[in-house]
Amino acid sequence: MEHAADISVSLDADLTINAIAVNPVAASLGCLDHWVGRPFEDFLAEESRIKFRDRISAARNDDSGLPMRMELNHVDNATWDFPVAYSAHRIPDGGVLLLGRDMQPLAELQRSLVSEQLARERDYQKLRAEEACFRVVLDTSETAIVLIDPKQGRIRDLNGVAAGLLGTIAASLNGSVLAQCFEGRRREELGEALQAAASGDEGRGIEVVCRRTGRPLTLYPRFFRAASELVLVCRIAGSGETAEDGDATFFLGELFSGSTDAIVLTDSKGLIREANEAFLMMADAALLRNVRDQPLADFLSRGAIDQKLIFEAADQDTRLRSYNTQVISPVGSRTSVDISAARLRQGNGAYGYGLIIRDVTRRDSLDAEAGPLVISEDAMKHMMDLVGTASLKELVSATSDVVEKMCIETALQLTSNNRVAAADMLGLSRQSLYVKLRKHGFIDDSDSN
């Protein structure tokens, strides 16, 4: 019996041990002959006693004859405990034969795994602390620094000062190819030049021209090794710049990212290229990539009409001082805004648009609390003159005509007398708008434009 399991225990009908055998292979269990003649429960941990009684009772009431399995924790000599997985077999005389497998090796393995997991978590926390220190040092440095993967030529990390010199924000450059930031530079050619400069002893720089700003810059590369991986770190300096110039670039980048007003940069077609955190919050977007390359019109209440009017005004006067509309997020929330826009030209001749979008929801709510729409004195005098000469129904109709005329006049002013755009803005067909224009005297019957 001692070779059938690590431990074999024979119990009589009263669950008293009448025989016990320990497999010589399981030497860690030691000699258990002193268990014989004593109740089996005397050598069980408190939580295992209840389990043992329930399982033995279930086994005795089970007519299938199948063994009942249970895991029990033994105690002996007050300090020694060990787990055993038993299968209980009924004996014809009412006794029970327990065949057990020593679970101590498995328990030791589990404890070892837990200890290893705890050690890994401590190492992970230490690594996170070191990464946090690295991030703070990188972001607070006044020197423009870019970390590059020398094999792929891609940007691994950079700080805000470097992003400012490259004409954008750091989040938009991580993972991009460094050569794409400069005019007339191919990835292979720039990579070879950087490696050659980093391998030299004279510390010479690489002259480049920023694609976004057209500004000449100098790259000073240097190799270092991190965890057996080769990394290229580049310091970026503006050619001939003074300390004040570098500070100005840094502060502009900080202003862009930290402004409470939303700032958006688009290309000439109105596709969003850059946006700060304030716009992401307004558009209910978690990350910049959620809005990048999306049409600005998708976020404006009047869609393409708003975008067209803003860009046309910026094209005519180079910049637009104020335009009122609403920003709509993909989830349907609306924010009343005042937009200022300017046409921006890059060094390569391409152009785009820069927009400052100010939330005026509170101002609008205050205006609403202040009272209803104010009608001009002439319109008010006209309505007062009608009192006593017309019925109330006719007075209400006349008032509606005054409000309708004011709305049409406002739409024409916003669209610079573009009647097609005004019709879209008012939700009218072009034919209906012409009827109302003639009704209110904006055009005569001979005017077909």
Side-chain angles (χ1 to χ4, degrees), residues 220-250:
Y220 295 95
R222 180 180 177 183
F223 281 115
F224 73 95
R225 191 172 296 278
S228 302
E229 184 179 0
L230 201 61
V231 181
L232 190 63
V233 58
C234 275
R235 179 173 63 88
I236 305 179
S239 297
E241 73 174 9
T242 63
E244 289 77 7
D245 295 331
D247 291 343
T249 301
F250 172 76

mmCIF file of all heavy atoms in Angstrom, residues 220-250:
data_model
loop_
_atom_site.group_PDB
_atom_site.id
_atom_site.type_symbol
_atom_site.label_atom_id
_atom_site.label_comp_id
_atom_site.label_asym_id
_atom_site.label_seq_id
_atom_site.Cartn_x
_atom_site.Cartn_y
_atom_site.Cartn_z
ATOM 1 N N TYR A 220 22.755 68.020 -33.546
ATOM 2 C CA TYR A 220 24.003 67.555 -32.959
ATOM 3 C C TYR A 220 23.751 66.152 -32.387
ATOM 4 O O TYR A 220 23.224 66.006 -31.278
ATOM 5 C CB TYR A 220 24.467 68.505 -31.856
ATOM 6 C CG TYR A 220 24.830 69.878 -32.368
ATOM 7 C CD1 TYR A 220 23.893 70.910 -32.348
ATOM 8 C CD2 TYR A 220 26.097 70.139 -32.890
ATOM 9 C CE1 TYR A 220 24.220 72.178 -32.817
ATOM 10 C CE2 TYR A 220 26.435 71.404 -33.359
ATOM 11 C CZ TYR A 220 25.484 72.409 -33.322
ATOM 12 O OH TYR A 220 25.806 73.655 -33.802
ATOM 13 N N PRO A 221 24.101 65.082 -33.144
ATOM 14 C CA PRO A 221 23.775 63.712 -32.716
ATOM 15 C C PRO A 221 24.850 63.097 -31.822
ATOM 16 O O PRO A 221 26.026 63.476 -31.870
ATOM 17 C CB PRO A 221 23.685 62.964 -34.041
ATOM 18 C CG PRO A 221 24.680 63.676 -34.922
ATOM 19 C CD PRO A 221 24.667 65.125 -34.503
ATOM 20 N N ARG A 222 24.406 62.104 -31.038
ATOM 21 C CA ARG A 222 25.327 61.372 -30.176
ATOM 22 C C ARG A 222 24.718 60.013 -29.865
ATOM 23 O O ARG A 222 23.521 59.899 -29.582
ATOM 24 C CB ARG A 222 25.571 62.146 -28.880
ATOM 25 C CG ARG A 222 26.526 61.449 -27.914
ATOM 26 C CD ARG A 222 26.716 62.262 -26.671
ATOM 27 N NE ARG A 222 27.570 61.608 -25.701
ATOM 28 C CZ ARG A 222 27.856 62.085 -24.493
ATOM 29 N NH1 ARG A 222 27.356 63.248 -24.111
ATOM 30 N NH2 ARG A 222 28.643 61.415 -23.675
ATOM 31 N N PHE A 223 25.547 58.962 -29.909
ATOM 32 C CA PHE A 223 25.077 57.612 -29.617
ATOM 33 C C PHE A 223 25.180 57.327 -28.119
ATOM 34 O O PHE A 223 26.078 57.813 -27.434
ATOM 35 C CB PHE A 223 25.922 56.570 -30.355
ATOM 36 C CG PHE A 223 25.557 56.408 -31.796
ATOM 37 C CD1 PHE A 223 26.470 56.751 -32.792
ATOM 38 C CD2 PHE A 223 24.320 55.919 -32.169
ATOM 39 C CE1 PHE A 223 26.151 56.596 -34.129
ATOM 40 C CE2 PHE A 223 23.987 55.766 -33.497
ATOM 41 C CZ PHE A 223 24.905 56.108 -34.479
ATOM 42 N N PHE A 224 24.249 56.505 -27.617
ATOM 43 C CA PHE A 224 24.409 55.909 -26.299
ATOM 44 C C PHE A 224 23.685 54.556 -26.304
ATOM 45 O O PHE A 224 22.847 54.289 -27.166
ATOM 46 C CB PHE A 224 23.873 56.821 -25.180
ATOM 47 C CG PHE A 224 22.380 56.915 -25.111
ATOM 48 C CD1 PHE A 224 21.649 56.099 -24.261
ATOM 49 C CD2 PHE A 224 21.690 57.832 -25.893
ATOM 50 C CE1 PHE A 224 20.273 56.191 -24.188
ATOM 51 C CE2 PHE A 224 20.304 57.940 -25.835
ATOM 52 C CZ PHE A 224 19.599 57.112 -24.980
ATOM 53 N N ARG A 225 24.029 53.698 -25.361
ATOM 54 C CA ARG A 225 23.473 52.360 -25.325
ATOM 55 C C ARG A 225 22.604 52.204 -24.081
ATOM 56 O O ARG A 225 23.001 52.554 -22.977
ATOM 57 C CB ARG A 225 24.592 51.316 -25.326
ATOM 58 C CG ARG A 225 24.103 49.879 -25.556
ATOM 59 C CD ARG A 225 25.276 48.943 -25.747
ATOM 60 N NE ARG A 225 26.026 49.271 -26.954
ATOM 61 C CZ ARG A 225 25.675 48.869 -28.173
ATOM 62 N NH1 ARG A 225 24.580 48.144 -28.336
ATOM 63 N NH2 ARG A 225 26.411 49.198 -29.220
ATOM 64 N N ALA A 226 21.391 51.668 -24.285
ATOM 65 C CA ALA A 226 20.456 51.426 -23.184
ATOM 66 C C ALA A 226 19.963 49.999 -23.283
ATOM 67 O O ALA A 226 19.306 49.634 -24.258
ATOM 68 C CB ALA A 226 19.274 52.402 -23.255
ATOM 69 N N ALA A 227 20.287 49.180 -22.262
ATOM 70 C CA ALA A 227 19.873 47.777 -22.227
ATOM 71 C C ALA A 227 20.269 47.054 -23.508
ATOM 72 O O ALA A 227 19.449 46.407 -24.159
ATOM 73 C CB ALA A 227 18.363 47.660 -21.988
ATOM 74 N N SER A 228 21.539 47.213 -23.898
ATOM 75 C CA SER A 228 22.115 46.573 -25.090
ATOM 76 C C SER A 228 21.501 47.081 -26.394
ATOM 77 O O SER A 228 21.727 46.497 -27.453
ATOM 78 C CB SER A 228 21.947 45.040 -25.018
ATOM 79 O OG SER A 228 22.559 44.532 -23.853
ATOM 80 N N GLU A 229 20.728 48.156 -26.322
ATOM 81 C CA GLU A 229 20.109 48.718 -27.527
ATOM 82 C C GLU A 229 20.733 50.076 -27.822
ATOM 83 O O GLU A 229 20.860 50.925 -26.934
ATOM 84 C CB GLU A 229 18.594 48.857 -27.331
ATOM 85 C CG GLU A 229 17.868 49.344 -28.571
ATOM 86 C CD GLU A 229 16.378 49.443 -28.337
ATOM 87 O OE1 GLU A 229 15.922 49.126 -27.224
ATOM 88 O OE2 GLU A 229 15.663 49.850 -29.281
ATOM 89 N N LEU A 230 21.115 50.279 -29.076
ATOM 90 C CA LEU A 230 21.758 51.525 -29.472
ATOM 91 C C LEU A 230 20.705 52.584 -29.770
ATOM 92 O O LEU A 230 19.732 52.329 -30.487
ATOM 93 C CB LEU A 230 22.623 51.298 -30.715
ATOM 94 C CG LEU A 230 23.742 52.319 -30.975
ATOM 95 C CD1 LEU A 230 24.732 52.334 -29.818
ATOM 96 C CD2 LEU A 230 24.445 52.004 -32.285
ATOM 97 N N VAL A 231 20.858 53.767 -29.178
ATOM 98 C CA VAL A 231 19.908 54.875 -29.351
ATOM 99 C C VAL A 231 20.695 56.115 -29.747
ATOM 100 O O VAL A 231 21.825 56.327 -29.296
ATOM 101 C CB VAL A 231 19.115 55.140 -28.051
ATOM 102 C CG1 VAL A 231 18.124 56.280 -28.249
ATOM 103 C CG2 VAL A 231 18.384 53.885 -27.610
ATOM 104 N N LEU A 232 20.087 56.929 -30.607
ATOM 105 C CA LEU A 232 20.707 58.169 -31.062
ATOM 106 C C LEU A 232 19.970 59.331 -30.423
ATOM 107 O O LEU A 232 18.741 59.448 -30.553
ATOM 108 C CB LEU A 232 20.623 58.267 -32.583
ATOM 109 C CG LEU A 232 21.420 59.373 -33.278
ATOM 110 C CD1 LEU A 232 22.917 59.174 -33.047
ATOM 111 C CD2 LEU A 232 21.119 59.383 -34.773
ATOM 112 N N VAL A 233 20.695 60.180 -29.699
ATOM 113 C CA VAL A 233 20.092 61.362 -29.107
ATOM 114 C C VAL A 233 20.586 62.585 -29.872
ATOM 115 O O VAL A 233 21.776 62.709 -30.162
ATOM 116 C CB VAL A 233 20.419 61.485 -27.602
ATOM 117 C CG1 VAL A 233 21.922 61.534 -27.361
ATOM 118 C CG2 VAL A 233 19.751 62.715 -26.999
ATOM 119 N N CYS A 234 19.666 63.464 -30.244
ATOM 120 C CA CYS A 234 20.003 64.664 -31.019
ATOM 121 C C CYS A 234 19.626 65.908 -30.229
ATOM 122 O O CYS A 234 18.501 66.001 -29.716
ATOM 123 C CB CYS A 234 19.254 64.679 -32.352
ATOM 124 S SG CYS A 234 20.065 63.752 -33.647
ATOM 125 N N ARG A 235 20.553 66.815 -30.142
ATOM 126 C CA ARG A 235 20.250 68.149 -29.633
ATOM 127 C C ARG A 235 19.964 69.048 -30.825
ATOM 128 O O ARG A 235 20.714 69.048 -31.808
ATOM 129 C CB ARG A 235 21.416 68.694 -28.813
ATOM 130 C CG ARG A 235 21.178 70.091 -28.265
ATOM 131 C CD ARG A 235 22.298 70.499 -27.323
ATOM 132 N NE ARG A 235 23.580 70.569 -28.022
ATOM 133 C CZ ARG A 235 24.038 71.643 -28.657
ATOM 134 N NH1 ARG A 235 23.298 72.747 -28.724
ATOM 135 N NH2 ARG A 235 25.218 71.620 -29.242
ATOM 136 N N ILE A 236 18.868 69.796 -30.781
ATOM 137 C CA ILE A 236 18.472 70.654 -31.893
ATOM 138 C C ILE A 236 18.685 72.102 -31.499
ATOM 139 O O ILE A 236 18.287 72.531 -30.409
ATOM 140 C CB ILE A 236 16.993 70.445 -32.283
ATOM 141 C CG1 ILE A 236 16.716 68.979 -32.577
ATOM 142 C CG2 ILE A 236 16.619 71.296 -33.482
ATOM 143 C CD1 ILE A 236 15.278 68.693 -32.937
ATOM 144 N N ALA A 237 19.317 72.848 -32.378
ATOM 145 C CA ALA A 237 19.539 74.269 -32.137
ATOM 146 C C ALA A 237 19.156 75.049 -33.391
ATOM 147 O O ALA A 237 19.376 74.584 -34.514
ATOM 148 C CB ALA A 237 20.997 74.543 -31.770
ATOM 149 N N GLY A 238 18.548 76.211 -33.184
ATOM 150 C CA GLY A 238 18.249 77.088 -34.308
ATOM 151 C C GLY A 238 19.515 77.776 -34.766
ATOM 152 O O GLY A 238 20.310 78.257 -33.949
ATOM 153 N N SER A 239 19.743 77.819 -36.072
ATOM 154 C CA SER A 239 20.968 78.431 -36.593
ATOM 155 C C SER A 239 21.003 79.907 -36.240
ATOM 156 O O SER A 239 20.107 80.681 -36.607
ATOM 157 C CB SER A 239 21.032 78.260 -38.113
ATOM 158 O OG SER A 239 21.086 76.902 -38.453
ATOM 159 N N GLY A 240 22.041 80.298 -35.479
ATOM 160 C CA GLY A 240 22.213 81.698 -35.124
ATOM 161 C C GLY A 240 21.219 82.203 -34.092
ATOM 162 O O GLY A 240 21.114 83.397 -33.882
ATOM 163 N N GLU A 241 20.481 81.302 -33.421
ATOM 164 C CA GLU A 241 19.471 81.769 -32.477
ATOM 165 C C GLU A 241 20.117 82.224 -31.187
ATOM 166 O O GLU A 241 21.181 81.749 -30.788
ATOM 167 C CB GLU A 241 18.462 80.669 -32.195
ATOM 168 C CG GLU A 241 18.978 79.549 -31.325
ATOM 169 C CD GLU A 241 17.911 78.555 -30.951
ATOM 170 O OE1 GLU A 241 16.807 78.641 -31.506
ATOM 171 O OE2 GLU A 241 18.202 77.686 -30.103
ATOM 172 N N THR A 242 19.480 83.139 -30.528
ATOM 173 C CA THR A 242 19.922 83.590 -29.217
ATOM 174 C C THR A 242 19.123 82.862 -28.157
ATOM 175 O O THR A 242 18.175 82.149 -28.445
ATOM 176 C CB THR A 242 19.695 85.108 -29.073
ATOM 177 O OG1 THR A 242 18.278 85.362 -29.151
ATOM 178 C CG2 THR A 242 20.396 85.871 -30.179
ATOM 179 N N ALA A 243 19.506 83.061 -26.920
ATOM 180 C CA ALA A 243 18.770 82.409 -25.834
ATOM 181 C C ALA A 243 17.323 82.866 -25.802
ATOM 182 O O ALA A 243 16.414 82.102 -25.522
ATOM 183 C CB ALA A 243 19.450 82.710 -24.492
ATOM 184 N N GLU A 244 17.126 84.179 -26.149
ATOM 185 C CA GLU A 244 15.757 84.698 -26.142
ATOM 186 C C GLU A 244 14.912 84.007 -27.201
ATOM 187 O O GLU A 244 13.726 83.751 -27.009
ATOM 188 C CB GLU A 244 15.765 86.205 -26.372
ATOM 189 C CG GLU A 244 16.308 87.015 -25.196
ATOM 190 C CD GLU A 244 17.821 86.965 -25.106
ATOM 191 O OE1 GLU A 244 18.443 86.418 -26.045
ATOM 192 O OE2 GLU A 244 18.376 87.458 -24.109
ATOM 193 N N ASP A 245 15.517 83.700 -28.372
ATOM 194 C CA ASP A 245 14.778 82.996 -29.425
ATOM 195 C C ASP A 245 14.332 81.628 -28.941
ATOM 196 O O ASP A 245 13.193 81.214 -29.174
ATOM 197 C CB ASP A 245 15.650 82.833 -30.678
ATOM 198 C CG ASP A 245 15.986 84.182 -31.308
ATOM 199 O OD1 ASP A 245 15.169 85.103 -31.149
ATOM 200 O OD2 ASP A 245 17.047 84.286 -31.939
ATOM 201 N N GLY A 246 15.237 80.902 -28.288
ATOM 202 C CA GLY A 246 14.873 79.587 -27.790
ATOM 203 C C GLY A 246 13.774 79.673 -26.747
ATOM 204 O O GLY A 246 12.845 78.872 -26.732
ATOM 205 N N ASP A 247 13.859 80.676 -25.870
ATOM 206 C CA ASP A 247 12.814 80.854 -24.872
ATOM 207 C C ASP A 247 11.478 81.136 -25.530
ATOM 208 O O ASP A 247 10.444 80.623 -25.106
ATOM 209 C CB ASP A 247 13.181 82.001 -23.926
ATOM 210 C CG ASP A 247 14.357 81.640 -23.030
ATOM 211 O OD1 ASP A 247 14.645 80.429 -22.919
ATOM 212 O OD2 ASP A 247 14.972 82.556 -22.463
ATOM 213 N N ALA A 248 11.488 81.985 -26.586
ATOM 214 C CA ALA A 248 10.240 82.324 -27.266
ATOM 215 C C ALA A 248 9.599 81.084 -27.875
ATOM 216 O O ALA A 248 8.377 80.887 -27.781
ATOM 217 C CB ALA A 248 10.498 83.373 -28.344
ATOM 218 N N THR A 249 10.411 80.224 -28.500
ATOM 219 C CA THR A 249 9.871 78.999 -29.083
ATOM 220 C C THR A 249 9.284 78.102 -28.013
ATOM 221 O O THR A 249 8.199 77.529 -28.189
ATOM 222 C CB THR A 249 10.988 78.247 -29.830
ATOM 223 O OG1 THR A 249 11.526 79.094 -30.843
ATOM 224 C CG2 THR A 249 10.452 76.983 -30.481
ATOM 225 N N PHE A 250 9.993 78.007 -26.894
ATOM 226 C CA PHE A 250 9.493 77.174 -25.798
ATOM 227 C C PHE A 250 8.164 77.707 -25.266
ATOM 228 O O PHE A 250 7.211 76.958 -25.056
ATOM 229 C CB PHE A 250 10.536 77.137 -24.682
ATOM 230 C CG PHE A 250 10.067 76.469 -23.428
ATOM 231 C CD1 PHE A 250 9.980 75.092 -23.352
ATOM 232 C CD2 PHE A 250 9.685 77.223 -22.325
ATOM 233 C CE1 PHE A 250 9.533 74.464 -22.202
ATOM 234 C CE2 PHE A 250 9.235 76.599 -21.176
ATOM 235 C CZ PHE A 250 9.168 75.228 -21.117
#
